[in-house]
Amino acid sequence: MFDPRDGRVYHAACTRVCSTGLQRACPHTSDKDNTSHQAGTRLDIIRCRVMVEYAGEARMQDDIRAETAQYYDANPTIPDDLAFYTVRLPSAAASVLELGCGTGRVLLPLAAACGSIYGIDRSPAMLARCLQKLQAAGMPPTKARAELGDITNFVLGRRFDVIIAPYRVFQLLETDPQVDGLFRCVRAHLAPGGTCILNVFHPQGGFEGVQQEWSTATEVCRWEVTVDGVRLRCDERCLSLDPERHILYPELVYRRYVGGVWIEDAVLKIPRRCYTPDTFEQVILAHGFRIVQRWGGYAGEPYGEGPELVVQFGE
């Protein structure tokens, strides 16, 4: 942990904020006198803390979402899953852990329906937006909090009634050791009788169908919206794939237009591991869990027949 009296640490963090394109963090008296730190707002200090923890290169990789986090909440293709997760809470006092909480899209609304919720995300850019929302909502940390962390390797020292990883977070895990790490952490943080819900997209036609589509498409528009007169668009390019591990490597290109004039591009490269209905269940069972329930989507579609694969499991 950082020492708030160490102005050099704060200065390093603020420099990192600027270099990653995030909004400015806490102010300093000057670059030359970085031993003196002005108070700023509570959010400034939270941002600074986020960036300080992010500066530990041994624990975290560079933030691949630094330039694209601003587009996440505009995405109209994200499934309407809030009611689904709310209904799955065992009680109004339930404790929830969200893996890959991002900008707080699920974390904040779910906080109103549960006893407490704790979020983890490895992107400082996404997390900064989540913290902004928490502060704007006046959410006390005993009710909802979010911190920087690796969802495949964390120790929180407490257990939760429900663990979730909404909107396909699980398929961003590229390697088997990462998958093993997530399940190990889930087991260590599930309360007795608790359950975890994971979700991936359903590749229609299996990986062979996805592979055929991937090999022919060049660039596809995934969504386009207009917000306050600004047109935002997301295109997807097919870069490569790993046929043995069933992993796609897309490049998402976010574009901003004002008055029909292109302003900027922001590019995000991510892995997208594919699971069929059977293989998704198998990987959960192989890690020693029992499947409680499963769905094909957030509207309750039969498993294997809808656009998503959603599985609830426990010990």
Side-chain angles (χ1 to χ4, degrees):
M1 297 299 294
F2 69 98
D3 184 344
R5 295 167 296 182
D6 189 346
R8 292 171 298 174
V9 174
Y10 273 109
H11 179 68
C14 287
T15 300
R16 195 54 177 267
V17 170
C18 295
S19 69
T20 57
L22 292 177
Q23 298 180 16
R24 61 181 178 83
C26 50
H28 290 84
T29 53
S30 71
D31 289 344
K32 295 180 181 179
D33 182 17
N34 56 24
T35 60
S36 177
H37 176 266
Q38 299 176 4
T41 67
R42 180 173 178 271
L43 180 58
D44 287 331
I45 294 185
I46 290 175
R47 283 202 189 112
C48 213
R49 176 178 176 178
V50 168
M51 297 314 294
V52 168
E53 293 187 357
Y54 168 62
E57 297 296 344
R59 294 198 311 113
M60 302 295 293
Q61 299 177 356
D62 288 342
D63 185 5
I64 63 172
R65 299 182 186 272
E67 295 181 354
T68 61
Q70 60 183 311
Y71 295 95
Y72 182 81
D73 289 332
N75 184 354
T77 68
I78 296 176
D80 184 7
D81 54 3
L82 295 177
F84 175 90
Y85 287 110
T86 301
V87 170
R88 264 62 211 186
L89 296 176
S91 73
S95 58
V96 180
L97 171 61
E98 182 180 355
L99 306 179
C101 64
T103 65
R105 179 187 68 84
V106 173
L107 186 143
L108 265 78
L110 208 58
C114 68
S116 64
I117 186 166
Y118 193 111
I120 297 177
D121 202 279
R122 70 175 305 153
S123 166
M126 299 282 277
L127 192 59
R129 292 180 174 272
C130 180
L131 295 174
Q132 279 183 313
K133 295 177 183 179
L134 286 174
Q135 188 193 43
M139 195 72 66
T142 54
K143 182 70 170 176
R145 61 186 299 182
E147 293 189 357
L148 200 66
D150 182 347
I151 66 173
T152 70
N153 183 21
F154 63 90
V155 178
L156 301 179
R158 58 173 295 194
R159 292 177 179 266
F160 300 84
D161 300 314
V162 180
I163 299 177
I164 61 175
Y167 194 44
R168 308 171 178 177
V169 165
F170 182 72
Q171 65 191 105
L172 295 174
L173 303 182
E174 183 178 3
T175 68
D176 289 340
Q178 288 176 319
V179 171
D180 294 341
L182 178 135
F183 282 113
R184 183 174 59 251
C185 290
V186 166
R187 174 169 280 108
H189 292 83
L190 266 183
T195 60
C196 177
I197 301 175
L198 296 181
N199 153 245
V200 297
F201 83 96
H202 181 197
Q204 304 294 332
F207 186 74
E208 293 74 15
V210 174
Q211 185 174 0
Q212 183 177 3
E213 177 186 357
W214 199 252
S215 62
T216 57
T218 53
E219 183 170 305
V220 178
C221 177
R222 292 305 182 191
W223 56 264
E224 184 174 325
V225 296
T226 299
V227 180
D228 296 331
V230 178
R231 183 161 61 97
L232 306 176
R233 175 182 171 123
C234 176
D235 295 308
E236 184 176 78
R237 298 170 181 165
C238 307
L239 291 185
S240 62
L241 59 85
D242 183 335
E244 294 185 0
R245 295 189 296 162
H246 293 183
I247 303 176
L248 308 175
Y249 292 95
E251 183 177 70
L252 303 178
V253 184
Y254 298 89
R255 296 186 168 101
R256 182 192 303 264
Y257 300 84
V258 177
V261 178
W262 169 82
I263 301 298
E264 66 175 357
D265 281 358
V267 179
L268 174 63
K269 298 178 181 179
I270 57 173
R272 185 179 293 155
R273 195 165 185 171
C274 297
Y275 295 88
T276 64
D278 288 341
T279 58
F280 189 38
E281 285 187 298
Q282 288 168 8
V283 72
I284 294 171
L285 295 172
H287 285 85
F289 292 96
R290 64 178 179 85
I291 293 176
V292 175
Q293 203 164 354
R294 57 186 191 170
W295 304 267
Y298 295 109
E301 298 92 335
Y303 188 74
E305 298 181 17
E308 305 289 318
L309 301 175
V310 190
V311 177
Q312 182 180 23
F313 59 90
E315 291 191 283

